[in-house]
Amino acid sequence: MMVLITYDVNTTSEAGKKRLRQVAKQCVNYGQRVQNSVFECLVDPAQFAQLKNKLEGIIDSEVDSLRYYFLGSNWKRRVEHVGAKTTFDPEGVIIV
């Protein structure tokens, strides 16, 4: 399933800046950054539960927020991209 994850981490303190880096690092492990605080993650339910648990363990829910948008398995019809950043197909062929 495709999950769009967005976050807003308060960075007015050094601890907040550290949380921001940690959240981004976890998201990179599971998906592709599409904007500064927005990731597209193609995960199965177990992977999502693991990622969600990690992210919610990092943030300070008093000042930070996470949002999860579930696009499901038919996500390609629900995503439209316009603009400068190129997009990729996480289910496509990867040439190394």
Side-chain angles (χ1 to χ4, degrees):
M1 71 179 160
M2 176 66 75
V3 179
L4 188 72
I5 299 175
T6 68
Y7 54 88
D8 187 18
V9 177
N10 184 314
T11 58
T12 56
S13 68
E14 287 303 314
K17 292 174 186 175
K18 181 178 179 181
R19 289 193 311 274
L20 178 66
R21 288 189 300 273
Q22 290 175 331
V23 167
K25 184 176 181 179
Q26 287 304 317
C27 289
V28 165
N29 289 337
Y30 288 86
Q32 173 73 27
R33 182 188 301 262
V34 292
Q35 293 193 353
N36 287 338
S37 296
V38 181
F39 281 81
E40 291 177 347
C41 300
L42 189 59
V43 292
D44 62 36
Q47 290 171 318
F48 173 70
Q50 185 177 41
L51 175 57
K52 183 177 183 216
N53 186 48
K54 288 179 181 180
L55 294 176
E56 292 175 13
I58 294 169
I59 68 161
D60 178 350
S61 59
E62 296 293 319
V63 294
D64 304 333
S65 67
L66 289 165
R67 294 181 68 94
Y68 307 103
Y69 298 90
F70 301 97
L71 301 179
S73 58
N74 195 15
W75 60 272
K76 288 183 182 182
R77 291 181 350 151
R78 295 183 175 106
V79 176
E80 183 176 328
H81 175 261
V82 176
K85 289 190 176 183
T86 59
T87 159
F88 83 111
D89 180 359
E91 296 178 317
V93 177
I94 299 175
I95 300 174
V96 179

